[in-house]
Amino acid sequence: MIPLIILSGPTAVGKTKLSIELARSLNAEIISADSMQVYRGMDIGTAKITADEMEGIRHHLIDIISPFDEWNVTEFVKRSKEAINEIVAGGKVPIVTGGTGFYIQALIKDVDFSNEEDTSVRDELIRTADEKGSEFLYQMLREVDPESAEIIHKNNLKRVIRALEFFRLHGKKISEHNKEQTVDNSPYNYLYFVLNDERSRLYERIDRRVDTMIDNGLVDEVASLRNRGLDLSYVSMQGLGYKEIYRYLSGEITLDEAVYILKRDTRHFAKRQLTWFKREENVIMFDKSRYNNDNEILNEMVELYRRKISGN
């Protein structure tokens, strides 16, 4: 079986720095499992890793498509498989890192989405959202799949539509499908690490990250995208940081309100990410508050890899 390491966790927990150290220790390359860092020209709001921060470690699935294009789980799985094969062929270890749990699950369980190409249901749901609002669609989801509604934010229209679309196409809840996918039928010999921290410290880092984004020019970045013709109808512009600043630039809210909403919604997002990871099977949790430093976590991860995968 193909060896694979997953390093995930909530936003702002410190995955990027640790992934670099892990990659260096294991002679690895990194595949991004971030649904926003694929977009070119969207750097500040996605906290995209810089060339300097990569420290010579090769990264895949970063800066690969235009923000006018749509990125989805099917494309992620396809391109990740290609990257994994390339990395292994080169004698290195693939590390998938990022916070999009649904993408990671689809990859390690080799979920086939090829039978979901019928866009008529999706188009109908989008029209319903346009006519009656996203809240109407969210209430539809609560009726047919209340468990999914608990972990999907009502403003995450893309995922609400995805869950309703799955129910319409398959006659079953996507929450039930996700539970079935926890059965270990992966083509990979994988270790699934999830980094976590005390909630107060995580939320403090989220707030600082948002402040840093503003200081580094997030408003100018969103203004540039807006001037290119991107608006909130594009999937890329629905990302945290972009839709809030877009509303500010459109005169709907003040900058202070945009920053407040962004911090609040990012904290909520981190909480939903943790809910997802805690429900996954075969996850090895690393709570940063229980370690003196990240180096202790790194050493434990490396030892687990050598003992359970490489055999060295």
Side-chain angles (χ1 to χ4, degrees), residues 7 31 37 131 134 137 157 168 198 213 237 256 281:
L7 175 55
I31 301 168
Q37 292 195 8
E131 294 170 2
S134 57
L137 242 61
L157 186 59
R168 295 273 188 91
E198 289 179 354
M213 287 177 176
M237 295 297 285
D256 285 345
E281 292 187 356

Coordinates of all heavy atoms in Angstrom, one line a residue, residues 7 31 37 131 134 137 157 168 198 213 237 256 281:
L7 N -1.7 15.6 8.0 CA -1.5 16.5 9.1 C -2.6 17.6 9.0 O -2.6 18.5 8.1 CB -0.2 17.2 9.1 CG 0.1 18.2 10.1 CD1 -0.2 17.7 11.5 CD2 1.6 18.8 10.0
I31 N 1.3 18.1 0.0 CA 0.1 18.3 -0.8 C -0.9 19.2 0.0 O -1.3 18.7 1.1 CB -0.6 17.0 -1.3 CG1 0.5 16.2 -2.1 CG2 -1.8 17.3 -2.1 CD1 0.0 14.7 -2.3
Q37 N -6.3 27.9 -1.0 CA -4.9 28.2 -1.4 C -4.6 27.7 -2.8 O -3.6 28.0 -3.4 CB -3.9 27.6 -0.4 CG -4.0 28.2 0.9 CD -2.8 27.9 1.8 OE1 -1.8 27.3 1.4 NE2 -2.9 28.3 3.1
E131 N -33.9 32.9 -5.5 CA -35.3 33.4 -5.4 C -35.7 33.5 -3.9 O -36.5 34.5 -3.6 CB -36.2 32.4 -6.1 CG -36.0 32.4 -7.6 CD -36.8 31.2 -8.3 OE1 -37.5 30.5 -7.6 OE2 -36.6 31.1 -9.5
S134 N -30.7 32.0 1.1 CA -29.9 30.9 1.6 C -30.5 30.3 2.8 O -30.4 29.1 3.1 CB -28.5 31.3 1.9 OG -28.5 32.4 2.8
L137 N -32.9 27.5 2.0 CA -32.3 26.2 1.6 C -31.7 25.5 2.9 O -31.8 24.3 3.0 CB -31.1 26.5 0.7 CG -31.2 25.8 -0.7 CD1 -32.4 26.3 -1.4 CD2 -30.0 26.1 -1.5
L157 N -23.3 28.3 1.7 CA -24.3 27.9 0.7 C -23.8 26.8 -0.1 O -24.5 25.8 -0.5 CB -24.6 29.1 -0.2 CG -25.8 28.9 -1.2 CD1 -27.0 28.4 -0.5 CD2 -26.0 30.1 -2.0
R168 N -30.9 14.5 -2.9 CA -31.8 14.3 -4.1 C -31.3 13.2 -5.0 O -32.1 12.5 -5.6 CB -31.8 15.7 -4.8 CG -32.5 16.8 -4.0 CD -34.0 16.8 -4.2 NE -34.6 18.0 -3.6 CZ -34.8 19.2 -4.2 NH1 -34.4 19.3 -5.5 NH2 -35.3 20.2 -3.6
E198 N -5.8 24.4 23.2 CA -6.8 25.0 24.1 C -7.6 26.0 23.3 O -7.1 26.8 22.5 CB -6.2 25.6 25.3 CG -5.6 24.7 26.3 CD -5.0 25.4 27.5 OE1 -5.0 26.6 27.5 OE2 -4.6 24.7 28.4
M213 N -3.7 40.0 8.8 CA -4.2 40.0 7.4 C -4.6 41.5 7.0 O -4.2 41.9 5.9 CB -5.4 39.1 7.2 CG -5.1 37.6 7.2 SD -6.6 36.7 7.1 CE -5.9 35.0 7.0
M237 N -14.7 33.7 -4.0 CA -15.0 34.9 -3.2 C -15.9 34.6 -2.0 O -16.2 35.5 -1.2 CB -15.7 36.0 -4.0 CG -14.7 36.5 -5.1 SD -13.3 37.3 -4.5 CE -14.0 38.9 -3.9
D256 N -14.7 48.0 10.5 CA -14.7 47.4 11.9 C -15.7 46.3 12.0 O -15.4 45.2 12.6 CB -15.0 48.5 12.9 CG -13.9 49.4 13.2 OD1 -12.7 49.1 12.8 OD2 -14.1 50.5 13.8
E281 N -12.6 8.4 12.2 CA -11.9 7.3 12.8 C -10.4 7.3 12.5 O -10.0 8.0 11.5 CB -12.6 6.0 12.4 CG -14.0 5.8 12.9 CD -14.5 4.4 12.6 OE1 -13.8 3.6 11.9 OE2 -15.6 4.1 13.1

